[in-house]
Amino acid sequence: QVQLVESGGGLVQPGGSLRLSCAASGSIFGIAAMGWYRQAPGKLRESVATITRGGSTNYADSVKGRFTISRDHAKNTVYLQMNSLKPEDTAVYYCYLDDASLAGRSWGQGTQVTVSS
């Protein structure tokens, strides 16, 4: 089983910055991709950012230019740097990992990000 431990969430003012971290451990065959989803109250869960083993990235249009996803392969860790935060970024952010062994997708428990003055 894969375990994902998230950290870095909290309360920040509009225009501020926050960095989320997600460290993976357990029975990982090989990481095909890692990334982040988010879910705001009353809304569907949406993909925020993804990074593949090859290093390619993909972002939701709503965060492009403000958020940056990165990785540290040695630590099996993915990061989400969030700048110029807006109130509409308020959500629970979930980390995920796609295993290359076809074991499927693993999820973190989520970390709350609140953007408010």
Side-chain angles (χ1 to χ4, degrees):
Q1 301 295 319
V2 177
Q3 296 82 44
L4 300 176
V5 179
E6 301 162 327
S7 62
L11 175 65
V12 65
Q13 295 184 10
S17 297
L18 211 58
R19 189 174 83 152
L20 306 182
S21 299
C22 176
S25 62
S27 56
I28 303 172
F29 176 80
I31 299 174
M34 294 184 72
W36 298 87
Y37 276 66
R38 68 184 181 186
Q39 187 168 28
K43 298 181 65 177
L44 298 174
R45 187 173 299 187
E46 63 175 348
S47 178
V48 177
T50 300
I51 186 165
T52 69
R53 181 172 183 172
S56 62
T57 58
N58 183 265
Y59 298 92
D61 288 341
S62 59
V63 307
K64 195 171 298 181
R66 299 187 297 120
F67 291 11
T68 303
I69 188 169
S70 61
R71 66 188 180 189
D72 184 335
H73 285 298
K75 298 180 180 179
N76 286 337
T77 299
V78 65
Y79 306 94
L80 185 67
Q81 178 67 45
M82 304 183 292
N83 298 326
S84 302
L85 283 162
K86 305 174 181 179
E88 50 263 46
D89 295 318
T90 296
V92 178
Y93 284 71
Y94 298 90
C95 173
Y96 73 87
L97 181 153
D98 289 337
D99 199 302
S101 70
L102 302 181
R105 178 167 290 181
S106 299
W107 293 92
Q109 294 184 355
T111 184
Q112 176 71 49
V113 172
T114 302
V115 184
S116 176
S117 58

